[in-house]
Amino acid sequence: MPADPSALDLVLHPVRSRIVQQLGGRTRTTAQLREALPDVTQATLYRHVTALLDAGVVTVVEERRVRGATERTLALGDALAHVDQEGLRAMSTAQLASALRVFLADLAADADRALAADAPALRELWGFGRGPIHVDADDLAAIQEGFTALLAPYLEDGGEGKHRVSLATVLLPEPPEPPSAASTQD
């Protein structure tokens, strides 16, 4: 997600968020985006792509003539980056809640599309889990660096026999527990 609040608001739109998801780690032509997002009309798709291009969230990496029209190949632009701790602190509670809801909705929609494909051979690539960890901000930075190093060899298309999977992480801090009645009487 972009750290710039105006770009963040732009990307939080459900259609634009889905476009960004389609471009994550790869390039796509506008025709490929239309195929990947069949429920979005062509005019709506182009309007949202234009908004993302204008904001620098998406960039054109190639243009070519196809049957008299110009087909653009798109990729994520420089304005899109992971929201760091400073960016998260700058977000309002409403923006953070909205960003999380869009993220979860996109994740659920991706899961629905994968399930609709009903590809038993890909079931071994599914996985999800949840568990607590005990960290501070420095620990999270170290974990992020470790993830980056661990995942680096898998970010490019590995070729034959490799499948693209989406790895999503969510960190939800638990609010502190209210003091119990017994501890307040001491």
Side-chain angles (χ1 to χ4, degrees):
M1 292 242 168
D4 172 18
S6 61
L8 176 64
D9 288 337
L10 181 80
V11 174
L12 286 179
H13 185 281
V15 172
R16 291 188 290 262
S17 179
R18 290 175 62 200
I19 292 167
V20 167
Q21 287 289 337
Q22 285 297 313
L23 294 173
R26 60 185 170 188
T27 60
R28 288 286 175 252
T29 64
T30 48
Q32 289 170 320
L33 285 175
R34 281 195 319 271
E35 290 172 15
L37 306 171
D39 57 315
V40 179
T41 66
Q42 182 173 338
T44 298
L45 178 70
Y46 286 173
R47 185 177 71 249
H48 288 296
V49 165
T50 299
L52 292 167
L53 284 165
D54 291 347
V57 172
V58 170
T59 188
V60 176
V61 294
E62 181 183 352
E63 289 184 334
R64 65 185 183 107
R65 300 291 289 173
V66 177
R67 293 185 287 271
T70 301
E71 181 170 69
R72 300 179 293 184
T73 300
L74 308 168
L76 294 180
D78 294 335
L80 193 70
H82 176 75
V83 177
D84 59 13
Q85 287 302 312
E86 182 180 331
L88 286 170
R89 282 190 294 274
M91 291 171 70
S92 70
T93 300
Q95 284 178 314
L96 186 56
S98 180
L100 179 60
R101 286 187 186 101
V102 168
F103 174 81
L104 293 174
D106 286 343
L107 189 60
D110 287 346
D112 288 345
R113 283 188 288 279
L115 289 169
D118 197 26
L122 298 181
R123 287 285 170 103
E124 66 189 27
L125 299 176
W126 274 83
F128 47 91
R130 179 178 175 167
I133 58 175
H134 302 272
V135 298
D136 61 20
D138 292 336
D139 296 331
L140 286 177
I143 290 169
Q144 182 63 43
E145 287 176 25
F147 270 147
T148 300
L150 176 68
L151 297 176
Y154 307 103
L155 296 177
E156 298 296 322
D157 184 356
E160 187 74 27
K162 300 289 184 171
H163 299 278
R164 181 180 163 106
V165 299
S166 178
L167 174 65
T169 59
V170 177
L171 297 172
L172 296 174
E174 294 182 12
E177 292 185 26
S180 67
S183 67
T184 57
Q185 294 177 359
D186 294 334

